[in-house]
Amino acid sequence: MRRFSESYLQRTRQGMWDDSRAALSDLHLGSRTRILDVGCGTGEFTRVLADESDARVVGVDADETLLSVAADRPGIEVVAGDATRLPFADDTFDLVVCQALLVNLPDPVAAVREFARVSSDLVATVEPDNAAVGVDSTVAAEVPLERSVREAFLSGVQTDVALGERVRDLFDDAGLSLVGTRRYHHRKLTEPPYDESDVQSAAQKATGEGLDRHEADLRRGLHDDESYESLRREWRRMGREVVEQIRDGEYRRAEVVPFDVTTGRV
């Protein structure tokens, strides 16, 4: 399973669900009594579940460092555990849900079967379609470079990070009855006044640090080392321009990531 840092999770989930929670309507959160958020990380989505319900909300994750952050959020319990071997008895919860978890698992259907085992009613997943991400930027080179990086990553990564609406096939394999699929678009905007995370993200582009986190996957997708080194040079050059535009208060970037909320009944 791929691992992520606290700062990465908070940056990529910043503002998610703040604009609309309509795509969660099939979960009927207001009527739930026991909810499990699998792969909860720092509890960004767990907080939404607690806000929208009067249920007992539990977050489970294999990373105890991330769990310690989630534990500080009000109305949330946390438990350490593996998504494919959940430490709960059958039918413990009436809703089991995950956000951006299956795209990082080598065997996502095994996790969905576990969700079904510990749920007495519904299973829901919120999974991104990373092949359909849209980006616009005031730095002209950023858009084509992001596209090149995304294509290489999709080719080289060893899990299905563009799972999206194909989750319904996993539900079928796990014996779940499909309730429905709703799409949510997570919009992330960078514009003046910039916050600390905006400045940090720009610096990581300029140094190549952000790209280096995915180096192994990108090298596999590009098929030769020189292609990666060339892409990295162009990426750092683009990053320096981003830093300059931020310094001048001129940088703007918009990104839209589509997430599919798929709900099934046990």
Side-chain angles (χ1 to χ4, degrees), residues 64-158:
E64 296 192 24
T65 301
L66 300 180
L67 275 183
S68 67
V69 179
D72 289 336
R73 298 182 181 275
I76 295 172
E77 302 173 38
V78 298
V79 177
D82 188 310
T84 60
R85 294 185 298 275
L86 293 170
F88 305 104
D90 295 1
D91 304 331
T92 301
F93 302 91
D94 56 8
L95 171 64
V96 177
V97 63
C98 70
Q99 177 173 281
L101 172 69
L102 301 184
V103 292
N104 298 307
L105 297 180
D107 186 6
V109 73
V112 175
R113 289 191 180 110
E114 269 293 271
F115 300 174
R117 180 185 67 80
V118 301
S119 175
S120 64
D121 188 19
L122 291 185
V123 168
T125 62
V126 183
E127 295 295 329
D129 182 352
N130 287 304
V133 175
V135 176
D136 194 16
S137 172
T138 54
V139 174
E142 186 166 16
V143 174
L145 276 173
E146 289 241 2
R147 187 182 305 114
S148 296
V149 168
R150 188 175 306 110
E151 288 172 355
F153 179 71
L154 289 170
S155 176
V157 72
Q158 296 176 316

Side-chain angles (χ1 to χ4, degrees), residues 151-152 155-156 216-228:
E151 288 172 355
S155 176
D217 295 321
L218 291 171
R219 286 186 185 275
R220 275 193 298 269
L222 292 166
H223 306 300
D224 67 82
D225 290 345
E226 180 53 38
S227 293
Y228 175 76

Side-chain angles (χ1 to χ4, degrees), residues 7-260:
S7 61
Y8 174 85
L9 290 176
Q10 291 179 335
R11 184 176 71 254
T12 56
R13 303 292 177 262
Q14 185 177 19
M16 191 169 180
W17 304 112
D18 288 349
D19 54 342
S20 172
R21 296 176 181 178
L24 300 175
S25 60
D26 287 341
L27 280 61
H28 300 292
L29 292 172
S31 66
R32 298 293 148 196
T33 59
R34 305 177 313 280
I35 300 174
L36 178 66
D37 181 15
V38 185
C40 67
T42 55
E44 308 294 329
F45 187 50
T46 327
R47 171 188 60 81
V48 173
L49 299 171
D51 287 348
E52 293 292 321
S53 73
D54 294 321
R56 174 194 175 198
V57 180
V58 179
V60 62
D61 201 284
D63 190 323
E64 296 192 24
T65 301
L66 300 180
L67 275 183
S68 67
V69 179
D72 289 336
R73 298 182 181 275
I76 295 172
E77 302 173 38
V78 298
V79 177
D82 188 310
T84 60
R85 294 185 298 275
L86 293 170
F88 305 104
D90 295 1
D91 304 331
T92 301
F93 302 91
D94 56 8
L95 171 64
V96 177
V97 63
C98 70
Q99 177 173 281
L101 172 69
L102 301 184
V103 292
N104 298 307
L105 297 180
D107 186 6
V109 73
V112 175
R113 289 191 180 110
E114 269 293 271
F115 300 174
R117 180 185 67 80
V118 301
S119 175
S120 64
D121 188 19
L122 291 185
V123 168
T125 62
V126 183
E127 295 295 329
D129 182 352
N130 287 304
V133 175
V135 176
D136 194 16
S137 172
T138 54
V139 174
E142 186 166 16
V143 174
L145 276 173
E146 289 241 2
R147 187 182 305 114
S148 296
V149 168
R150 188 175 306 110
E151 288 172 355
F153 179 71
L154 289 170
S155 176
V157 72
Q158 296 176 316
T159 62
D160 188 354
V161 295
L163 193 57
E165 64 180 10
R166 294 198 304 280
V167 169
R168 64 181 66 193
D169 296 331
L170 302 181
F171 278 30
D172 187 56
D173 290 343
L176 292 167
S177 174
L178 183 68
V179 172
T181 300
R182 296 177 184 269
R183 177 153 282 200
Y184 170 76
H185 291 92
H186 179 32
R187 295 172 173 84
K188 294 182 283 184
L189 185 63
T190 304
E191 62 181 358
Y194 309 110
D195 60 24
E196 183 178 345
S197 66
D198 295 332
V199 175
Q200 182 181 25
S201 177
Q204 288 174 345
K205 288 176 180 176
T207 61
E209 179 184 345
L211 211 62
D212 292 342
R213 283 199 297 265
H214 306 290
E215 180 177 352
D217 295 321
L218 291 171
R219 286 186 185 275
R220 275 193 298 269
L222 292 166
H223 306 300
D224 67 82
D225 290 345
E226 180 53 38
S227 293
Y228 175 76
E229 297 302 334
S230 175
L231 180 63
R232 190 175 186 274
R233 285 193 295 271
E234 292 181 51
W235 186 267
R236 293 182 63 195
R237 188 179 305 116
M238 175 271 292
R240 290 192 291 271
E241 190 172 347
V242 171
V243 170
E244 291 174 6
Q245 286 198 9
I246 283 183
R247 188 180 300 126
D248 296 336
E250 297 174 350
Y251 181 64
R252 286 172 175 77
R253 179 182 187 276
E255 177 179 291
V256 179
V257 183
F259 283 79
D260 285 297

